[in-house]
Amino acid sequence: AAINSRLRAAARSAYTGSSACGVTRSNVGGFHSGEELFWGAHPADPHWYTPIHELMLEALQLLHTPVELDALSISGWLNASPPHAHHQVHDHGESLYSAVYFADSGGAGSEAELGGETCSGQLLLITQPEAGVDRFEYVALPPEPSTLLLFAGGMPHAVLPRASQCGTGARAAPDALALRVSVACNVSLMVE
């Protein structure tokens, strides 16, 4: 899809740029842009902003949410993750929904192992099947390009690394990068 190549270009530019420090939230070793509200014209990069916003609106319509779409605020940010990068377990607090759109899985490069299981940068959702019972289940979803995953904003989740070594922290040469590229989003009630 055309949006994927735009996102890859924006992510590579942000990750390799001289001022590409981004922000730190749950991310370790990758680039995380600042969170932007998705409404009106987006001054920073309309080439990827508008299609993601439209995709989010389509997904929310399919959910038949009891809240009118114009009462919702959608925000998002760009992630660029080399093989060693990951996101620690976190949730998105008061958000009604959270979502991730995968533009690039980062290729079939090296894969990490977690408890004997091969994990290649999956989104790990942490569920609690029974309320009040201290038992959790884990659902690992692969970063399939052109896939949008939508889940409850308060659901704990993480993103697994694709390489078993975190390395020295030095950035690789741009042409050697196999970045996992995604846009993460939050959907909240608009505050008046």
Side-chain angles (χ1 to χ4, degrees), residues 41 67 88 128 155:
V67 178
Q88 298 171 335
Q128 188 175 17
M155 178 176 279

Side-chain angles (χ1 to χ4, degrees), residues 1-2 14 64 101 107 131 172 174:
H64 302 292
Y101 176 83

Side-chain angles (χ1 to χ4, degrees), residues 76-154:
W77 55 95
L78 182 65
N79 294 301
S81 303
H84 67 274
H86 64 282
H87 287 255
Q88 298 171 335
V89 175
H90 65 286
D91 64 44
H92 292 226
E94 299 296 317
S95 297
L96 294 175
Y97 302 105
S98 292
V100 62
Y101 176 83
F102 292 107
D104 196 320
S105 66
S110 58
E111 297 177 330
E113 292 217 357
L114 180 68
E117 298 280 327
T118 299
C119 37
S120 186
Q122 292 105 333
L123 171 66
L124 185 66
L125 299 177
I126 304 166
T127 66
Q128 188 175 17
E130 293 180 61
V133 175
D134 200 17
R135 184 174 65 83
F136 301 92
E137 293 182 5
Y138 303 89
V139 179
L141 302 166
E144 294 291 331
S146 301
T147 300
L148 175 72
L149 301 172
L150 195 64
F151 51 95

Side-chain angles (χ1 to χ4, degrees), residues 36 39-46 49:
E36 300 283 340
W39 57 14
H42 191 275
D45 191 352
Y49 170 90

Side-chain angles (χ1 to χ4, degrees), residues 59-80:
L60 290 167
Q61 286 174 336
L62 291 173
L63 282 178
H64 302 292
T65 180
V67 178
E68 293 294 324
L69 290 182
D70 58 0
L72 297 175
S73 167
I74 303 172
S75 60
W77 55 95
L78 182 65
N79 294 301

